[in-house]
Structures are given as C-alpha cells and as structure tokens.
Amino acid sequence: MFRRRRNDQNDLDATAEAADTAAVDDASEDASRDGAARATTADAGAWFDRSTGPFDEAETPDDGVTRLDLGGLRVPGADGMELRLELDETGEQVIAVTVVDAASTMQLMAFAAPRTDGIWDDVREEIRVSLAATGLVEVVEGEFGKELLATLMVAGPQGQSAMQPVRFVGLDGPRWFLRALFSGAASRDRTAAAGLEAVLRAVVVVRGGEAMAPGDQLALHVPDAIPEGMSRTAEAGRPPLGLPERGPEITEIH
C-alpha cells in the first residue's frame, strides 16, 4: 500500500502495514456481542480509558480545538507540526494521515471493528508474532495501556541497512479501532513524544452508521476546506499542511 513512497521508510511502512492489516482482519472475526464505549481500567482484555481522548464522534468535546475534517478522522492542528496525507498507489485514495514533529512522525489509520470488548489485545499479538522474525519486538505498558515496541531493519535511500525503532499504539472505540505508529525520537523518548501524544488524544474518529466489515479501513479524503488557523502552504513561520492537490501526487515523509 505504501510502495510508491520515495523515502527511507518504504520497507518499514510496508512491513508494519502488512502486519497490522492482517492482525485487524484476524482479530475482528470472532467478536459478536456489544461492548461498552470505553473501559475504566487498562487491564488485559479491557479497553483503554478514553475519557481524555481520543474521542468517538458522539463524544466530541466542546474544547475549542480546530480539527481538520478528513472523513473518518478529524485531526487537530498543532503549532510547529505538519499534517501530511498519504495516498494509495493510484494517487486517488487517502489511506493515512501523518503528523510530523521535528524528528518524529505519527501515522494514523482507523478501521471498522465489531461490537466487542476491543480487538487491540489480539491485533497486538498478531503484529508481535509477525514482526518477531524481522527484528526485536516487545510488549510494554505505556501511556495508552499496552503498547508494542519494535526495532526493524530497513533499507536506506542508498540501499544501506539501518535499524529503525517504532512504537505501535492501539485504541479501541465504539465499533472502531485506531492505530498510531510512532517513528523517530517519539518511538522511545517520552519528551519527544509528548506533542504527538497530545494530538492523538485530541483526535476524533468518525465511524459512521453504515455497515462495514470488521477490519475495513475508515474512508479518508482530502478536506473540502482548510479551517481558520491552518494553512495549505507555509506562512508566518508555520509549517504547511501536506495535502495532495491533483492527479497522482503523493506526500513524502522526510
């Protein structure tokens, strides 16, 4: 899905996406009962407490935060950060949004999920097993409950090999599952991750009422309008929104 990206994260994203997509599909097949919209504990099998975000559309807080409407996700802007949209191979479908903060990135993708107690436990284990053969991987207790830390061997722009640290965060909501993939300094450094984590907490997921198979990705699109306070191009010292404008253009993660 990310093969057309022209940067040194190609192998990383292809590996992570394959593991995550397979995990969502496998984990979502066996759930059938209704679950609570949020959990009050972070114990195994329980949902992460989302009282401070990220939010379901029905829980959108009246907090004055400006969010970019991308369809399945509404992502807040933040001073000093850049939002970039990633397109599929055809250059027509938005498949992910990446928030760039200095030397760190956070890629966001959302999926339909069943009415259940949550699928992150199963998804996390599937990713762990899939990535164990390609690098170091471990489950840790993090800011958002149980998280996955991995160190993967990736190819650089000149074909050289390098070790890339990444961090998977999974969040279960009402009939949706949100995945955040941190790379760069934010994958290990709590201070470097603080700004991106604040953005993640302010994200609103729009599942919609239409029927969707568990594991289907929530549709994203280029926004119809740019909210006041955000810009498509750099101005007054603010970084731009990396929004594709026409044809098969793609946005790169530098």
Side-chain angles (χ1 to χ4, degrees):
M1 190 174 289
F2 300 96
R3 287 192 294 272
R4 292 188 58 192
R5 286 219 232 145
R6 298 165 292 180
N7 57 75
D8 59 3
Q9 285 195 317
N10 285 348
D11 292 346
L12 165 63
D13 290 326
T15 301
E17 176 63 17
D20 191 50
T21 301
V24 171
D25 291 341
D26 290 344
S28 59
E29 291 178 353
D30 57 354
S32 59
R33 67 183 186 282
D34 288 342
R38 64 177 61 143
T40 56
T41 71
D43 297 334
W47 291 12
F48 171 76
D49 182 1
R50 295 186 300 98
S51 58
T52 58
F55 305 100
D56 182 71
E57 180 184 17
E59 306 161 347
T60 304
D62 184 14
D63 54 10
V65 173
T66 300
R67 294 175 173 86
L68 191 65
D69 186 355
L70 302 173
L73 291 173
R74 294 175 185 165
V75 182
D79 287 342
M81 297 187 191
E82 180 180 352
L83 299 182
R84 294 178 179 173
L85 304 186
E86 302 178 34
L87 307 185
D88 64 7
E89 292 180 335
T90 69
E92 298 177 354
Q93 178 63 50
V94 179
I95 56 175
V97 56
T98 294
V99 185
V100 183
D101 183 18
S104 301
T105 66
M106 177 181 67
Q107 182 197 70
L108 299 173
M109 302 178 74
F111 304 87
R115 303 178 189 273
T116 179
D117 291 333
I119 64 174
W120 174 226
D121 285 345
D122 293 329
V123 168
R124 186 178 62 249
E125 178 60 14
E126 291 287 342
I127 296 175
R128 188 194 66 78
V129 171
S130 177
L131 297 184
T134 61
L136 302 176
V137 59
E138 63 177 330
V139 177
V140 299
E141 196 69 33
E143 185 69 17
F144 296 89
K146 292 187 182 301
E147 303 176 355
L148 196 64
L149 301 182
T151 303
L152 306 176
M153 183 71 72
V154 298
Q158 279 76 47
Q160 75 276 22
S161 296
M163 298 302 293
Q164 173 70 61
V166 295
R167 170 190 173 202
F168 288 88
V169 171
L171 295 154
D172 292 299
R175 299 173 64 224
W176 52 258
F177 170 72
L178 177 63
R179 190 211 72 180
L181 174 61
F182 293 81
S183 60
S187 66
R188 296 294 186 271
D189 188 306
R190 292 287 300 277
T191 300
L196 292 174
E197 289 177 351
V199 170
L200 177 57
R201 287 187 180 277
V203 166
V204 172
V205 181
V206 182
R207 165 62 175 80
E210 69 275 16
M212 296 180 67
D216 283 355
Q217 188 175 347
L218 301 190
L220 301 176
H221 58 68
V222 176
D224 296 327
I226 305 301
E228 184 177 355
M230 293 185 180
S231 175
R232 189 181 291 267
T233 58
E235 59 181 28
R238 291 175 177 268
L241 296 172
L243 304 182
E245 296 182 345
R246 61 186 182 277
E249 292 182 358
I250 63 175
T251 50
E252 299 179 12
I253 300 178
H254 298 284

